[in-house]
């Protein structure tokens, strides 16, 4: 009984509609889909109950029959994106391959919805049913992997963090706000010119030893980092 009383209330802990009142005209799923489309088109700041009501052709007050607040709407949006990931694949094969595949899906979801990273930064950790399914699936993948339960949770967190980082870099590379952002060759040339000035000997030595950088391939770099970092995290001893 005490656990039930202290459990935090979320939008998913309440029925979608109360038993009283007129028959529902919409569903939370429909409202959430409209909010996702609004955020994709205009950014997270554009998502308000008033703007969403206008998009749906109704009044803001009617939306509060389904969603208690804008914060609850944001929770529904984040969980709907988590629901886009395909978790139907069987676990128990090569855990590293499976986890890298899941990470690629997560990164692609953040690329499709560039506002998602900012949303998660602001809302903290509110796990909806799809997010919980994702976490359980990832832990299932990691069942045969080495490491403690705590290390596996940290590895899943790292996976998510890298997915966000690479999605943000991809968004910056395609943005017209800074032309140099999307030009790796220009960045490399600038760095080499700075190093050649002689005031940064360690940087010059590293660039000289590394030689010419390989062609930019964000997928390859993302996968390579995961394959290096995840086994290292799971194979280390707890301090």
């Amino acid at each position: 009984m005490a656990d039930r009383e202290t459990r935090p209330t979320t939008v998913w802990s309440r029925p979608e509609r109360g038993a009283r009142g007129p028959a529902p005209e919409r569903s939370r799923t429909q409202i959430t889909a409209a909010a996702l489309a609004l955020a994709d088109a205009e950014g997270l700041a554009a998502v308000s109950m008033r703007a969403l009501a206008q998009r749906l052709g109704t009044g803001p007050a009617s939306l509060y029959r389904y969603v208690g607040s804008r914060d609850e709407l944001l929770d529904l949006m984040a969980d709907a994106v988590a629901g886009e990931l395909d978790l139907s694949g069987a676990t128990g094969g090569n855990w590293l391959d499976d986890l890298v595949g899941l990470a690629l899906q997560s990164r692609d979801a953040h690329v499709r919805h560039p506002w998602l990273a900012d949303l998660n930064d602001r809302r903290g950790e509110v796990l909806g049913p799809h997010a919980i399914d994702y976490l359980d699936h990832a832990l299932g993948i990691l069942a045969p992997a080495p490491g403690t339960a705590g290390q596996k949770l940290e590895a899943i967190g790292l996976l998510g963090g890298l997915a966000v980082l690479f999605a943000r870099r991809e968004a910056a590379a395609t943005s017209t706000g800074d032309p140099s952002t999307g030009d790796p060759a220009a960045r490399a040339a600038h760095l080499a010119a700075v190093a050649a000035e002689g005031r940064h000997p360690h940087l010059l030595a590293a660039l000289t030893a590394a030689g010419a950088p390989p062609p930019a391939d964000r997928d390859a770099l993302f996968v390579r980092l995961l394959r290096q970092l995840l086994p290292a995290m799971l194979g280390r001893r707890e301090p």
Side-chain angles (χ1 to χ4, degrees), residues 37-239:
L38 181 58
D40 288 344
E42 303 182 33
L44 188 62
V47 178
S48 67
M49 300 299 277
R50 182 175 299 277
L52 182 58
Q54 291 177 346
R55 192 177 186 92
L56 291 168
T58 188
S62 68
L63 297 183
Y64 288 103
R65 295 163 54 195
Y66 306 89
V67 182
S69 65
R70 181 177 185 268
D71 285 343
E72 288 192 350
L73 176 64
L74 299 180
D75 291 342
L76 289 168
M77 291 168 62
D79 196 61
V81 176
E84 295 177 3
L85 275 61
D86 181 9
L87 307 180
S88 61
T91 61
N94 184 304
W95 67 265
L96 186 54
D97 287 345
D98 291 344
L99 202 62
V100 168
L102 191 62
L104 287 167
Q105 283 200 66
S106 179
R107 186 211 54 187
D108 290 346
H110 281 84
V111 170
R112 290 193 301 272
H113 308 288
W115 47 267
L116 181 61
D118 293 334
L119 172 57
N120 287 335
D121 287 345
R122 292 173 53 185
R123 29 189 304 278
E125 295 295 330
V126 180
L127 296 183
H130 288 119
I132 293 173
D133 288 345
Y134 164 85
L135 180 59
D136 186 75
H137 182 76
L139 288 169
I141 289 174
L142 285 171
T148 65
Q151 288 172 337
K152 291 177 180 181
L153 289 170
E154 289 176 354
I156 295 169
L158 173 70
L159 179 156
L162 281 177
V164 171
L165 173 64
F166 273 73
R168 280 177 163 161
R169 290 184 63 184
E170 186 162 335
T174 57
S175 171
T176 58
D178 184 358
S180 66
T181 303
D183 188 351
R187 292 199 305 271
H190 169 71
L191 193 59
V194 170
E197 294 173 357
R199 294 184 293 110
H200 304 86
H202 302 294
L203 177 59
L204 178 60
L207 292 176
T208 301
D217 185 338
R218 291 187 179 85
D219 279 358
L221 177 59
F222 183 63
V223 170
R224 186 164 69 249
L225 284 175
L226 286 171
R227 288 187 172 278
Q228 291 172 350
L229 293 173
L230 291 172
M233 285 186 68
L234 295 172
R236 66 177 171 80
R237 295 180 179 274
E238 292 283 7

